[in-house]
């Protein structure tokens, strides 16, 4: 294991929707394609370089419907420059087959969670054979995986996966620490530093803190050479008693912090180069 190098810019990922919040409870949550594209444009203008996408059906419920995913990727690719990452985590109710079929939508990137984790009262299932199958599919389809790490054991499993199955498509490893999920690692600086120390040499990483861990994780990540993920998938409160206005507000705050830290937001082109994303723009 080796410490990761310190980047000069900051990748800001926005995770605008997630699968856990209800539109009825959170009116600002983007759930339609129009809302998602509008959010994506605003977040790109505010400094985001990558969008982590969960979609909803006509009733605003989480779905992994492939045609909807295809349409979503097409619209985002046409109307933004963002790197498009589809969630293969979906919701805790989604089955493995549906999660694998997400790659049919030909995203630039997809999430790949490196282990099962208690998820509040639920369990987010990611057994080893599923991880391997999904990873092999990303290699075969030339999709860049982003390894989602909810716990220290997940970091170890990422190393095991790379040892067993070789490098990801493009050859670069990028991980995301998801911290503060009830059941996973806390959003403390100590946990973040321990996780980063176990990442494979040369890996880049972002971090996100769920709920009240949002700001502690953002500043710990900047201070430790990491990139940032923000968005309404992870946090709905901007400050004590103040609901998040929209995703762009969270991206703008992250961009301000990164700029103040002398590591301004990376352009979408810089993000594509760093992650070694296959250029699918211009494909029909
Ligand atoms: N919604 C969670 C159960 C991912 O996008 O890959 C899983 C999740 C991780 O959000
Ligand atoms: Zn997600």
């Amino acid at each position: 294991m080796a410490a990761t190098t310190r980047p000069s810019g900051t990748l800001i990922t926005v995770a605008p929707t997630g699968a856990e919040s209800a539109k009825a409870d959170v009116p600002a949550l983007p759930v339609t394609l129009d809302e998602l594209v509008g959010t994506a444009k605003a977040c790109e203008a505010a400094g985001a370089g990558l969008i982590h996408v969960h979609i909803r059906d006509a009733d605003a419920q989480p779905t992994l419907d492939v045609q909807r995913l295809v349409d979503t990727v097409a619209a985002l690719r046409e109307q933004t420059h963002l790197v498009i990452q589809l969630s293969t985590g979906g919701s805790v109710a989604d089955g493995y087959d549906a999660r694998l079929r997400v790659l049919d939508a030909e995203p630039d990137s997809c999430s790949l969670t490196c282990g099962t984790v208690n998820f509040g009262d639920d369990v987010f299932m990611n057994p080893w054979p599923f991880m391997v199958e999904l990873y092999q599919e990303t290699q075969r389809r030339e999709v860049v995986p982003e390894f989602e790490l909810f716990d220290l054991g997940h970091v170890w499993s990422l190393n095991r996966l790379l040892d067993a199955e070789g490098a990801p498509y493009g050859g670069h490893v990028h991980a995301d620490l998801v911290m503060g999920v009830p059941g996973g690692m806390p959003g403390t600086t100590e946990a973040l530093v321990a996780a980063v120390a176990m990442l494979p040499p040369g890996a880049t990483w972002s971090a996100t803190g769920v709920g009240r861990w949002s700001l502690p994780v953002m500043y710990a990540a900047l201070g430790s050479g990491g990139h940032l993920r923000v968005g309404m998938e992870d946090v709905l409160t901007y400050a004590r008693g103040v609901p998040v206005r929209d995703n762009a507000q969270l991206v703008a705050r992250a961009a301000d912090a990164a700029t103040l830290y002398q590591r301004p937001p990376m352009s979408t082109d810089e993000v594509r180069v760093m992650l070694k994303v296959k250029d699918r723009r211009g494909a029909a």
Side-chain angles (χ1 to χ4, degrees), residues 28-47:
L29 201 69
V31 296
T32 66
L33 185 53
D34 280 354
E35 287 172 347
L36 182 65
V37 170
T39 295
K41 287 180 174 174
C43 290
E44 182 178 355

Side-chain angles (χ1 to χ4, degrees), residues 10 42-43 49 65 67 83 88 141 166-167 171 188 268 281:
T10 303
C43 290
D65 180 81
Q67 190 55 52
V83 174
T88 65
R141 293 168 180 255
T188 60
T268 52
R281 296 167 293 181

Side-chain angles (χ1 to χ4, degrees), residues 20 54 87-94 96 99 111-127 130 148 150 154 181:
E20 282 70 41
H54 292 251
S87 167
T88 65
S91 81
V92 291
D94 288 315
Y96 302 129
R99 291 170 60 188
S111 58
L112 192 164
T113 298
C114 290
T116 294
V117 64
N118 282 319
F119 199 84
D121 293 344
D122 299 306
V123 180
F124 178 31
M125 294 294 292
N126 296 283
F130 173 69
E148 309 297 331
F150 289 71
H154 292 188
V181 168

